[in-house]
């Protein structure tokens, strides 16, 4: 995986609460057996009419937000299914961070595996960033994972929390499976012990 | 030191490694795989030259995108994309030597119905699957949750999952349910109470007399929707009901191993002095048959209620309610039982088991599906289908004018052609009423199987208690 570096990008406001994975990537696009190419169908049903024309007032269709790299979202973003197609689509579109007051658990995990940083902030900070994001192309927001700081367009800084292990993996572009396989001995020991204690498994 | 919860006990029994910051490797006893979220994981294994670490603990079945019409084993019957996904799973199962139930096997069905049915799911296990409703297996006192495709690949390669421990939440349903009220109403009522994010960060243990009184089928329905409440997993401590269900299943332990397993399973309950981070209590007697009116599973109301108005809500929910009402084509103040429906869907891993079909048959017996309403009944597995036919349920369904189909996820997620048309309104026993879930611009009302059957007969959402 690529290393997650500090970046500055446009933030798109999506204040709706409970944006679910069916909205992020409708199931008709789950039919692929690849990970790539889903960006054009991100938010498909909100973004296009059924003839495939763009719906002009959907945020990511508006000129300032077409190249957004950050989404500032309402509560409980990413609820619903376990489909990793949701972060794949976000990533493919170019989204590198999502900010909300809360995320659904599986989606939250899936983001880290795909180089997307989900940031949980208190409601007042999300509201502040939502206001910033409303300012369109002028809303350049910088995300610095190393120092755990978001810098808004007017220079205001917001600190955020992130799990130390996940931060380490993102910053260094580490692959989970490789890391786990380094602990193969521990897994082997566990299997030997479990086979004695619970042979029926 | 205080006692442990059931979740604590299962967690401790599966901890293969723990780093100083609490990041843990949890060992996985059962990994269930289906055709939609696994192809990229197997592709990843091949690219890295890795094997499946424990093929004997890995079980695959195609369900999400298979047709539910007769003759489907003929690949010409499948759409191209489902043919590709099913063929990929056929090949991956064979290449990596994992247990497999292909489309034409009588044991094929929805992965969360097949696991318990075949005895793969046992108390005290860790169970994962690339599907959020893996929570279903928690009904056995197994720690079960959905994972993404990268995690599917991780489990295939290492038989472990990188995890941080969740918090403990207790949901107690006291007393007895009233007639006409089912497990589905319990689980929806809980989400109505806690909201769809109320369980985020928690593993829920359901307990109380009303839960104890449920059959395994009902318990699976309750745990199935733990994820709709945001929880990582739902659990119910195993008891005699659990053991009786498990005993004799094809992959359940036998003989001396059964005795050893049973002895351990009996210790799987939360200690009296266990610490809970959150407790929610509902009175069983107060739960009514419920329906959802909006596009989030938390939009729950008793069938005796009326469509709410956005002003009834606060904060971000006001906008969401406006959007939901608009999407659902509903006017505030309309009595819920006056909402006319076009379609009824019975099935899914929430309500596609034999007991659910019996509930439906009770209402449909001697009655007809209302004119202009289509009713689709999709059993959760080939074995459920067989049993429903043997019990005469299938005959009741077809006589009533319902469409009796083959096993699969079908209109629960509408990947295959089983879909709603735009603005078509559906009473559904599935678990999600999200926008577009059952078809583009389709409108879903989540209900119990009995309520679904009642709606089919009258042509509008109906209080099932009027028909029993
Ligand atoms: S029936 Fe629905 S919820 Fe269950 S596994 Fe299939 S798609 Fe998922």
């Amino acid at each position: 995986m690529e290393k997650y570096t500090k970046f500055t990008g446009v933030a798109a406001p999506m204040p709706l609460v409970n944006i679910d994975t069916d909205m992020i990537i409708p199931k008709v696009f789950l039919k692929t057996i690849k990970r790539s190419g889903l960006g054009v169908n991100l938010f498909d049903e909100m973004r296009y009419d059924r003839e495939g024309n763009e719906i002009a007032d959907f945020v990511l269709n508006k000129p300032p937000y077409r190249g957004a790299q950050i989404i500032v979202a309402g509560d409980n973003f990413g609820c619903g299914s376990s489909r990793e197609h949701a972060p794949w689509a976000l990533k493919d579109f170019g989204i590198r961070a999502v900010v909300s007051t809360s995320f659904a658990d599986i989606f939250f995990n899936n983001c880290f595996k795909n180089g997307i940083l989900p940031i949980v902030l208190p409601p007042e900070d999300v509201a502040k960033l939502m206001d910033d994001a409303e300012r369109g192309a002028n809303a350049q927001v910088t995300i610095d994972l190393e120092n755990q700081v978001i810098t808004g367009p007017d220079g205001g800084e917001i600190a955020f929390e992130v799990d130390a292990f996940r931060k380490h993996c993102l910053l260094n572009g580490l692959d989970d499976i490789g890391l786990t396989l380094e602990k193969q001995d521990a897994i082997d020991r566990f299997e030997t012990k479990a086979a004695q204690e619970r042979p029926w498994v | 030191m205080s006692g442990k919860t059931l979740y604590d006990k299962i967690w401790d029994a599966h901890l293969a490694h723990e780093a100083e910051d609490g990041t843990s490797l949890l060992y996985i006893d059962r990994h269930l795989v289906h055709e939609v979220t696994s192809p990229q994981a197997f592709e990843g294994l091949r690219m890295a030259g890795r094997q499946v670490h424990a093929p004997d603990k890995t079980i695959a079945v195609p369900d999400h995108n298979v047709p539910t019409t007769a003759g489907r084993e003929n690949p010409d019957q499948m759409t191209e994309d489902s043919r590709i996904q099913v063929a990929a799973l056929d090949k991956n199962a064979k290449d990596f030597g994992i247990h497999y139930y292909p489309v034409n096997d009588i044991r094929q069905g929805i992965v969360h119905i097949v696991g318990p049915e075949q005895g793969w799911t046992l108390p005290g296990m860790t169970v994962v699957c690339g599907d959020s409703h893996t929570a279903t297996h928690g009904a056995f006192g197994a720690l079960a949750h959905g994972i993404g495709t990268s995690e599917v690949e991780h489990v295939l390669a290492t038989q472990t999952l990188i995890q941080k421990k969740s918090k403990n939440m207790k949901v107690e349903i006291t007393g007895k349910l009233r007639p006409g009220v089912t497990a589905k109403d319990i689980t929806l009522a809980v989400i109505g109470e806690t909201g769809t994010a109320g369980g985020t960060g928690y593993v829920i243990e359901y307990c109380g007399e009303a839960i104890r009184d449920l059959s395994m089928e009902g318990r699976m329905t309750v745990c199935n929707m733990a994820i709709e409440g945001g929880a990582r997993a739902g659990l119910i401590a195993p008891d005699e009901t659990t053991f009786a269900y498990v005993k004799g299943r094809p992959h359940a332990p036998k003989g001396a191993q059964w005795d050893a397993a049973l002895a351990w399973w009996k210790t799987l309950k939360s200690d009296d002095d266990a610490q809970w981070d959150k407790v929610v209590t509902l009175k069983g007697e107060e739960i009514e048959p419920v329906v959802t009116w909006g596009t989030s599973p938390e939009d729950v109301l008793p069938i005796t209620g009326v469509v709410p108005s956005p002003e009834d809500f606060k904060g971000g929910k006001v906008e969401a309610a406006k959007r939901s009402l608009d999407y659902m084509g509903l006017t505030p103040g309309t009595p819920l039982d006056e909402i006319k429906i076009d379609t009824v869907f019975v099935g899914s891993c929430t309500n596609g088991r034999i007991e659910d079909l019996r509930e439906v048959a009770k209402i449909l017996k001697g009655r007809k599906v209302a004119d202009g309403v289509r009713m689709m009944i999709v059993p959760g597995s080939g074995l459920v289908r067989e049993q429903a036919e043997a019990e005469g349920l299938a005959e009741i369904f077809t006589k009533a004018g319902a469409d009796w189909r083959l096993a699969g996820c079908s209109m629960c997620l509408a990947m295959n052609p089983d879909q709603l048309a735009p603005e078509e309104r559906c009473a559904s026993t599935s678990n999600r009423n999200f926008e577009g879930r059952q078809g583009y611009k389709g409108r879903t009302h989540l209900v119990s199987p009995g309520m679904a059957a009642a709606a089919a007969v009258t042509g509008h959402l109906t209080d099932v208690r009027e028909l029993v």
Side-chain angles (χ1 to χ4, degrees):
Chain A
M1 219 164 55
E2 266 171 66
K3 292 186 178 175
Y4 197 95
T5 47
K6 178 174 168 179
F7 72 99
T8 301
V10 168
M14 296 191 79
L16 193 64
V17 300
N18 294 332
I19 291 179
D20 59 66
T21 52
D22 282 77
M23 288 184 191
I24 298 172
I25 185 82
K27 71 244 154 198
V28 282
F29 306 107
L30 306 192
K31 296 175 172 181
T32 173
I33 58 170
K34 301 261 171 262
R35 292 174 204 242
S36 52
L38 289 164
V40 287
N41 303 112
L42 177 69
F43 295 114
D44 196 86
E45 290 180 0
M46 302 161 95
R47 198 163 145 205
Y48 307 104
D49 66 21
R50 283 310 91 190
E51 274 78 58
N53 305 309
E54 287 187 3
I55 295 170
D57 65 358
F58 178 67
V59 60
L60 297 180
N61 288 333
K62 294 182 189 167
Y65 300 113
R66 301 182 75 92
Q69 287 181 278
I70 301 162
I71 290 176
V72 183
D75 308 342
N76 198 27
F77 188 85
C79 58
S81 90
S82 64
R83 63 186 67 160
E84 200 158 318
H85 307 67
W88 292 338
L90 287 165
K91 183 76 201 254
D92 199 56
F93 180 88
I95 300 296
R96 298 185 59 197
V98 185
V99 180
S100 177
T101 55
S102 57
F103 291 88
D105 189 47
I106 303 177
F107 174 82
F108 188 78
N109 280 329
N110 282 342
C111 281
F112 286 100
K113 318 270 179 203
N114 291 285
I116 297 173
L117 177 62
I119 302 176
V120 180
L121 289 177
E124 53 284 9
D125 287 340
V126 174
K128 168 84 182 56
L129 285 168
M130 195 70 78
D131 278 350
D132 289 341
E134 300 286 354
R135 286 149 60 183
N138 298 329
Q140 295 280 332
V141 173
T142 301
I143 295 190
D144 179 354
L145 172 58
E146 174 104 58
N147 296 305
Q148 299 180 211
V149 172
I150 304 177
T151 311
D154 48 13
E157 293 191 344
I158 297 172
F160 63 88
E161 293 297 318
V162 58
D163 176 80
F165 173 72
R166 285 167 157 158
K167 174 179 172 180
H168 173 76
C169 290
L170 274 183
L171 286 175
N172 296 292
L174 296 177
D175 151 46
D176 278 359
I177 297 179
L179 282 174
T180 297
L181 288 174
E182 288 172 11
K183 307 200 181 78
Q184 187 65 53
D185 282 354
I187 299 173
D188 290 346
R189 274 198 304 277
F190 178 88
E191 280 185 324
T192 312
K193 186 167 127 274
Q196 283 164 6
E197 289 172 2
R198 297 190 294 278
W200 61 85
V201 172
Chain B
M1 214 184 105
S2 62
K4 288 179 173 185
T5 64
L6 172 56
Y7 170 52
D8 297 337
K9 292 182 185 183
I10 303 176
W11 175 273
D12 290 349
H14 291 84
L15 202 55
H17 185 269
E18 187 173 8
E20 270 168 25
D21 70 347
T23 304
S24 303
L25 275 185
L26 199 66
Y27 192 81
I28 302 303
D29 293 326
R30 292 287 180 263
H31 185 192
L32 310 173
V33 173
H34 64 84
E35 79 280 23
V36 174
T37 56
S38 69
Q40 293 88 349
F42 284 109
E43 180 196 52
L45 282 190
R46 281 200 182 85
M47 283 184 342
R50 290 174 177 141
Q51 289 300 315
V52 173
H53 179 83
D56 55 323
K57 292 174 178 160
T58 313
I59 298 101
V61 59
D63 57 358
H64 278 60
N65 197 9
V66 298
T68 55
T69 42
R72 63 175 177 182
E73 56 287 348
N74 178 354
D76 296 343
Q77 288 259 342
M78 293 190 195
T79 54
E80 190 185 347
D81 52 77
S82 69
R83 196 160 51 233
I84 292 172
Q85 286 185 330
V86 171
L89 191 62
D90 286 345
K91 179 167 167 32
N92 289 330
K94 189 157 161 277
D95 287 0
F96 291 96
I98 61 186
H99 299 281
Y100 190 45
Y101 302 107
V103 166
N104 60 2
D105 193 303
I106 182 77
R107 297 165 298 177
Q108 177 273 346
I110 303 169
V111 62
H112 308 310
I113 292 191
V114 173
E117 205 168 65
Q118 293 301 318
W120 290 114
T121 308
L122 299 172
M125 280 185 162
T126 45
V127 181
V128 296
C129 174
D131 180 279
S132 53
H133 292 92
T134 311
T136 313
H137 308 263
F140 291 78
L143 176 59
H145 55 83
I147 55 178
T149 299
S150 295
E151 292 176 316
V152 170
E153 186 178 340
H154 192 278
V155 177
L156 288 171
T158 70
Q159 206 58 26
T160 64
L161 204 55
I162 301 176
Q163 288 277 289
K164 278 246 167 123
K165 201 168 172 210
S166 303
K167 289 179 285 183
N168 281 295
M169 174 165 168
K170 174 159 99 169
V171 172
E172 186 174 6
I173 317 291
T174 60
K176 300 262 181 222
L177 297 180
R178 289 188 303 182
V181 179
T182 65
K184 183 66 165 285
D185 301 299
I186 295 183
T187 202
L188 283 169
V190 171
I191 299 163
E193 180 76 20
T194 61
T196 47
T200 304
Y202 294 92
V203 164
I204 295 177
E205 181 175 339
Y206 299 94
C207 60
E209 186 183 354
I211 298 289
R212 284 283 140 237
D213 285 349
L214 292 174
S215 64
M216 283 317 291
E217 282 85 352
R219 293 179 189 187
M220 285 190 253
T221 302
V222 170
C223 288
N224 173 276
M225 291 193 71
I227 182 73
E228 297 327 318
R232 173 161 298 174
L235 284 171
I236 295 174
D239 60 10
E240 293 306 324
T241 305
T242 324
F243 309 143
Y245 178 99
V246 168
K247 192 160 191 176
R249 303 254 157 204
H251 296 278
K254 315 237 155 26
Q257 292 221 346
W258 170 265
D259 298 336
L262 194 62
W264 187 58
W265 294 345
K266 287 186 171 167
T267 67
L268 294 175
K269 49 180 165 245
S270 293
D271 297 332
D272 293 338
D273 56 345
Q275 292 286 328
W276 300 95
D277 301 296
K278 189 168 174 178
V279 178
V280 172
T281 308
L282 262 63
K283 292 198 176 108
E285 301 83 15
E286 289 180 1
I287 299 176
E288 291 196 66
V290 291
V291 296
T292 61
W293 55 268
T295 55
S296 166
E298 70 191 14
D299 301 338
V300 175
L301 282 174
I303 179 68
T304 48
V306 299
V307 175
S309 150
E311 288 88 69
D312 300 343
F313 300 95
K314 289 198 293 268
K317 191 70 191 170
V318 178
E319 261 321 295
K322 262 190 216 153
R323 188 183 163 97
S324 284
L325 290 173
D326 181 52
Y327 180 89
M328 293 295 289
L330 293 175
T331 315
T334 312
L336 291 167
D337 65 1
E338 285 178 13
I339 298 172
K340 288 212 163 44
I341 50 124
D342 308 300
T343 294
V344 174
F345 172 68
V346 173
S348 87
C349 57
T350 316
N351 285 127
R353 285 169 285 269
I354 191 69
E355 186 174 280
D356 303 313
L357 300 184
R358 288 184 194 133
E359 290 293 314
V360 171
K362 249 192 248 164
I363 304 292
L364 286 190
K365 191 165 186 186
R367 295 192 173 108
K368 288 264 179 236
V369 174
D371 280 346
V373 172
R374 69 163 168 154
M375 182 179 199
M376 200 184 257
I377 306 181
V378 184
S381 72
L383 290 173
V384 170
R385 184 179 155 92
E386 198 178 57
Q387 191 175 350
E389 287 176 350
E391 291 183 13
L393 309 181
E395 203 187 324
I396 295 173
F397 301 154
T398 42
K399 267 201 183 141
D403 181 9
W404 172 237
R405 301 173 77 95
L406 301 188
C409 294
S410 182
M411 206 196 271
C412 174
L413 91 165
M415 269 190 84
N416 68 6
D418 307 350
Q419 298 189 2
L420 296 180
E423 302 194 357
E424 196 176 339
R425 189 180 297 283
C426 179
S428 178
T429 67
S430 57
N431 42 55
R432 286 201 174 127
N433 51 357
F434 296 164
E435 289 183 18
R437 171 76 177 185
Q438 297 195 289
Y440 179 67
K441 291 223 183 290
R443 294 165 171 170
T444 301
H445 296 274
L446 301 177
V447 289
S448 70
M451 292 277 284
V457 167
T458 63
H460 53 86
L461 295 177
T462 299
D463 190 335
V464 61
R465 293 171 293 193
E466 292 166 14
L467 292 187
V468 283

